Every structure is written in C-alpha cells, then in structure tokens.
Amino acid sequence: MRRRLLPSIPQSLTVFVFWLLMAEDYSAGNVLMALLLAWAMPQLAARLQREFAQLGNVGILVPLGLKLIWDVVVANVTVALQVLGPEAKLRSGFVWVPLELTNIHGISVLASIMTLTPGTVTAELSEDRRYLLVHCLNIDDPQRMVDGIKRRYEAPLRKVFP
C-alpha cells in the first residue's frame, strides 16, 4: 500500500524540499503545492521505463576525467584562436559518430563530454542508439574527428559502462 502511495520517499522528500527552496516562500499555498508535487512526481517517475546503470571498471574515470580537463583547456584555447581568426577558415559541420556503447548512461556521459568540450556539441541520438550526431565548430577531417572521439572517450566509457 505504501509503495503505491509513495513509490520513493527520498524522491518525495527531495521534490518537497526543492520546491520550497525555489519558491522562497513558506506560505500554506506553497507547502500544499510542495506536498502535491512530492506525491505526483514519484508517481509519474515510477511509470517511466528505467534502465539501471551497470558499472564496470570505475577506476578508469579518474584518468578519463584528467584527460577531459586537459582537452577542455586545449579546446578553449583552440576555439578562442579560431573565433578570433578569419571566419572563412572555419568549416563547421555535423558528424555522425557510430557508437559501440549500448548502455544509455554511458551514452549520456559521452554526449555530455562532447557538449562540455568547447567547439563540439551533441545534437541528436539516433532512435536505435547506434549513432550520436555531433556538431563541430571546425572540422577538417570528419573521420579523424570520429576516431578521436571513439578512442579518447568512448573506449574508456565502454569499460565503465559494459
């Protein structure tokens, strides 16, 4: 019975607290709205089809994070030089990256990495989850770009999200 009424007490508490924090008003109306949302949001979330993360070698995340920090710094400098340089030299475009990652959590991390790195942004994931569309500010060799993404980011993520 309790499971049907409140599928996730931690989620209900989180929604309740965050609503009151965002509203910055503890009137009866806001408390009532927080209670309503704290009940409704977990009800809706419980109906969603969820895919749970299976983690493999999480030790790879440390060197991957360091690599990402380095890549973000280098990309910031590169993008600054490209933007300040002649616009005619920029060749922006979209690239479909074929994915070997099958875990949606790993794909989400890869998409986030692409978006965090200046000069690239994730635009779309194909319906079958086999291709990720990435927009690049400047792309000379699309295949080299795809190979770099797969080698630097997807390969380590496949070990973390088997």
Side-chain angles (χ1 to χ4, degrees):
M1 173 72 173
R2 185 200 65 77
R3 266 310 214 194
R4 281 193 212 141
L5 189 60
L6 291 173
S8 172
I9 291 175
Q11 188 178 22
S12 293
L13 288 173
T14 303
V15 170
F16 180 80
V17 169
F18 273 93
W19 177 263
L20 290 178
L21 288 173
M22 288 189 312
E24 294 181 353
D25 177 25
Y26 306 108
S27 66
N30 269 325
V31 171
L32 188 61
M33 179 60 88
L35 285 170
L36 177 68
L37 290 173
W39 171 79
M41 296 303 287
Q43 295 291 332
L44 294 171
R47 288 174 171 74
L48 297 175
Q49 179 181 5
R50 293 185 271 183
E51 183 177 320
F52 294 98
Q54 293 179 334
L55 297 178
N57 185 357
V58 293
I60 292 174
L61 290 175
V62 173
L64 178 62
L66 294 173
K67 187 186 309 182
L68 177 61
I69 290 170
W70 174 254
D71 287 351
V72 167
V73 170
V74 169
N76 270 303
V77 172
T78 303
V79 167
L81 293 173
Q82 290 171 341
V83 169
L84 296 173
E87 191 176 320
K89 281 187 147 184
L90 290 178
R91 286 186 218 105
S92 64
F94 289 93
V95 176
W96 282 103
V97 179
L99 298 177
E100 295 174 49
L101 269 170
T102 56
N103 185 300
I104 192 62
H105 303 289
I107 294 170
S108 296
V109 172
L110 179 62
S112 297
I113 287 172
M114 292 294 89
T115 301
L116 281 172
T117 308
T120 58
V121 66
T122 302
E124 184 178 352
L125 175 63
S126 65
E127 283 190 37
D128 62 0
R129 297 182 184 175
R130 296 177 61 136
Y131 295 92
L132 189 66
L133 183 62
V134 177
H135 181 268
C136 306
L137 177 65
N138 189 23
I139 183 162
D140 293 325
D141 183 1
Q143 189 57 49
R144 191 177 72 171
M145 174 69 76
V146 167
D147 293 343
I149 291 169
K150 291 184 76 56
R151 183 184 72 254
R152 292 186 70 78
Y153 304 119
E154 186 186 24
L157 286 173
R158 284 183 35 227
K159 294 175 184 169
V160 176
F161 298 99

Tab-separated table of all heavy atoms in Angstrom, residues 53-75:
chain	number	residue	atom	x	y	z
A	53	ALA	N	22.053	1.585	-14.411
A	53	ALA	CA	23.457	1.564	-14.799
A	53	ALA	C	24.136	0.336	-14.215
A	53	ALA	O	23.958	0.007	-13.050
A	53	ALA	CB	24.151	2.820	-14.309
A	54	GLN	N	24.886	-0.339	-15.050
A	54	GLN	CA	25.755	-1.407	-14.593
A	54	GLN	C	27.169	-0.875	-14.735
A	54	GLN	O	27.594	-0.519	-15.840
A	54	GLN	CB	25.573	-2.663	-15.433
A	54	GLN	CG	24.223	-3.299	-15.273
A	54	GLN	CD	24.086	-4.533	-16.144
A	54	GLN	OE1	24.747	-4.666	-17.162
A	54	GLN	NE2	23.221	-5.429	-15.732
A	55	LEU	N	27.867	-0.795	-13.629
A	55	LEU	CA	29.199	-0.222	-13.658
A	55	LEU	C	30.248	-1.311	-13.706
A	55	LEU	O	30.137	-2.326	-13.024
A	55	LEU	CB	29.419	0.666	-12.435
A	55	LEU	CG	28.513	1.887	-12.335
A	55	LEU	CD1	28.790	2.647	-11.054
A	55	LEU	CD2	28.684	2.788	-13.534
A	56	GLY	N	31.251	-1.074	-14.517
A	56	GLY	CA	32.372	-1.987	-14.618
A	56	GLY	C	33.569	-1.410	-13.871
A	56	GLY	O	33.519	-1.187	-12.666
A	57	ASN	N	34.610	-1.086	-14.604
A	57	ASN	CA	35.848	-0.570	-14.034
A	57	ASN	C	35.746	0.941	-13.832
A	57	ASN	O	36.072	1.716	-14.719
A	57	ASN	CB	37.009	-0.912	-14.962
A	57	ASN	CG	38.343	-0.527	-14.390
A	57	ASN	OD1	38.424	0.054	-13.310
A	57	ASN	ND2	39.396	-0.842	-15.114
A	58	VAL	N	35.308	1.362	-12.645
A	58	VAL	CA	35.132	2.789	-12.375
A	58	VAL	C	36.464	3.507	-12.149
A	58	VAL	O	36.511	4.734	-12.175
A	58	VAL	CB	34.182	3.039	-11.186
A	58	VAL	CG1	32.784	2.606	-11.512
A	58	VAL	CG2	34.694	2.370	-9.933
A	59	GLY	N	37.540	2.770	-11.944
A	59	GLY	CA	38.862	3.372	-11.777
A	59	GLY	C	39.317	4.125	-13.018
A	59	GLY	O	40.166	5.019	-12.935
A	60	ILE	N	38.728	3.797	-14.141
A	60	ILE	CA	39.072	4.476	-15.401
A	60	ILE	C	38.560	5.909	-15.408
A	60	ILE	O	39.052	6.746	-16.162
A	60	ILE	CB	38.499	3.668	-16.587
A	60	ILE	CG1	39.244	2.347	-16.690
A	60	ILE	CG2	38.583	4.432	-17.886
A	60	ILE	CD1	38.696	1.408	-17.719
A	61	LEU	N	37.591	6.219	-14.555
A	61	LEU	CA	37.013	7.562	-14.546
A	61	LEU	C	38.019	8.637	-14.138
A	61	LEU	O	37.927	9.770	-14.604
A	61	LEU	CB	35.789	7.607	-13.625
A	61	LEU	CG	34.574	6.837	-14.129
A	61	LEU	CD1	33.468	6.848	-13.079
A	61	LEU	CD2	34.081	7.403	-15.444
A	62	VAL	N	38.991	8.297	-13.292
A	62	VAL	CA	39.989	9.290	-12.867
A	62	VAL	C	40.860	9.720	-14.040
A	62	VAL	O	40.945	10.920	-14.342
A	62	VAL	CB	40.818	8.771	-11.672
A	62	VAL	CG1	41.963	9.716	-11.355
A	62	VAL	CG2	39.931	8.567	-10.460
A	63	PRO	N	41.525	8.790	-14.749
A	63	PRO	CA	42.313	9.251	-15.898
A	63	PRO	C	41.447	9.869	-16.997
A	63	PRO	O	41.871	10.812	-17.662
A	63	PRO	CB	43.029	7.995	-16.406
A	63	PRO	CG	42.472	6.850	-15.664
A	63	PRO	CD	41.706	7.364	-14.494
A	64	LEU	N	40.220	9.368	-17.157
A	64	LEU	CA	39.317	9.956	-18.151
A	64	LEU	C	38.973	11.391	-17.767
A	64	LEU	O	38.963	12.291	-18.619
A	64	LEU	CB	38.045	9.123	-18.290
A	64	LEU	CG	36.998	9.653	-19.260
A	64	LEU	CD1	37.541	9.713	-20.688
A	64	LEU	CD2	35.742	8.804	-19.216
A	65	GLY	N	38.715	11.639	-16.483
A	65	GLY	CA	38.428	12.996	-16.013
A	65	GLY	C	39.613	13.923	-16.214
A	65	GLY	O	39.444	15.078	-16.632
A	66	LEU	N	40.819	13.448	-15.935
A	66	LEU	CA	42.020	14.265	-16.147
A	66	LEU	C	42.206	14.570	-17.642
A	66	LEU	O	42.550	15.691	-18.017
A	66	LEU	CB	43.243	13.557	-15.578
A	66	LEU	CG	43.255	13.402	-14.054
A	66	LEU	CD1	44.423	12.530	-13.606
A	66	LEU	CD2	43.284	14.765	-13.375
A	67	LYS	N	41.971	13.562	-18.460
A	67	LYS	CA	42.064	13.756	-19.906
A	67	LYS	C	41.031	14.785	-20.370
A	67	LYS	O	41.325	15.649	-21.203
A	67	LYS	CB	41.841	12.417	-20.627
A	67	LYS	CG	42.070	12.451	-22.113
A	67	LYS	CD	41.704	11.138	-22.796
A	67	LYS	CE	42.341	9.947	-22.153
A	67	LYS	NZ	42.018	8.679	-22.835
A	68	LEU	N	39.825	14.704	-19.820
A	68	LEU	CA	38.768	15.638	-20.187
A	68	LEU	C	39.127	17.061	-19.778
A	68	LEU	O	38.933	18.002	-20.554
A	68	LEU	CB	37.444	15.220	-19.559
A	68	LEU	CG	36.263	16.155	-19.795
A	68	LEU	CD1	35.958	16.277	-21.287
A	68	LEU	CD2	35.041	15.666	-19.045
A	69	ILE	N	39.671	17.233	-18.569
A	69	ILE	CA	40.087	18.565	-18.130
A	69	ILE	C	41.126	19.137	-19.087
A	69	ILE	O	41.037	20.293	-19.508
A	69	ILE	CB	40.615	18.520	-16.678
A	69	ILE	CG1	39.460	18.246	-15.712
A	69	ILE	CG2	41.330	19.817	-16.308
A	69	ILE	CD1	39.906	17.942	-14.297
A	70	TRP	N	42.104	18.330	-19.446
A	70	TRP	CA	43.134	18.767	-20.386
A	70	TRP	C	42.509	19.129	-21.739
A	70	TRP	O	42.817	20.173	-22.312
A	70	TRP	CB	44.198	17.688	-20.554
A	70	TRP	CG	45.201	18.042	-21.621
A	70	TRP	CD1	45.295	17.493	-22.866
A	70	TRP	CD2	46.216	19.036	-21.531
A	70	TRP	NE1	46.316	18.092	-23.559
A	70	TRP	CE2	46.896	19.042	-22.762
A	70	TRP	CE3	46.614	19.924	-20.547
A	70	TRP	CZ2	47.972	19.900	-23.030
A	70	TRP	CZ3	47.680	20.773	-20.808
A	70	TRP	CH2	48.338	20.754	-22.027
A	71	ASP	N	41.631	18.293	-22.222
A	71	ASP	CA	41.001	18.544	-23.517
A	71	ASP	C	40.152	19.816	-23.501
A	71	ASP	O	40.099	20.545	-24.493
A	71	ASP	CB	40.139	17.348	-23.937
A	71	ASP	CG	40.973	16.150	-24.361
A	71	ASP	OD1	42.212	16.296	-24.494
A	71	ASP	OD2	40.394	15.064	-24.555
A	72	VAL	N	39.494	20.089	-22.387
A	72	VAL	CA	38.677	21.305	-22.279
A	72	VAL	C	39.572	22.541	-22.315
A	72	VAL	O	39.261	23.522	-22.996
A	72	VAL	CB	37.806	21.275	-21.002
A	72	VAL	CG1	37.199	22.633	-20.710
A	72	VAL	CG2	36.702	20.230	-21.147
A	73	VAL	N	40.707	22.497	-21.624
A	73	VAL	CA	41.637	23.633	-21.637
A	73	VAL	C	42.182	23.852	-23.045
A	73	VAL	O	42.172	24.977	-23.565
A	73	VAL	CB	42.788	23.411	-20.629
A	73	VAL	CG1	43.883	24.444	-20.799
A	73	VAL	CG2	42.260	23.424	-19.204
A	74	VAL	N	42.640	22.789	-23.688
A	74	VAL	CA	43.179	22.898	-25.047
A	74	VAL	C	42.091	23.378	-26.014
A	74	VAL	O	42.335	24.248	-26.861
A	74	VAL	CB	43.770	21.536	-25.508
A	74	VAL	CG1	44.097	21.548	-26.989
A	74	VAL	CG2	45.009	21.205	-24.687
A	75	ALA	N	40.882	22.844	-25.885
A	75	ALA	CA	39.787	23.237	-26.779
A	75	ALA	C	39.400	24.702	-26.573
A	75	ALA	O	39.058	25.390	-27.538
A	75	ALA	CB	38.576	22.333	-26.563
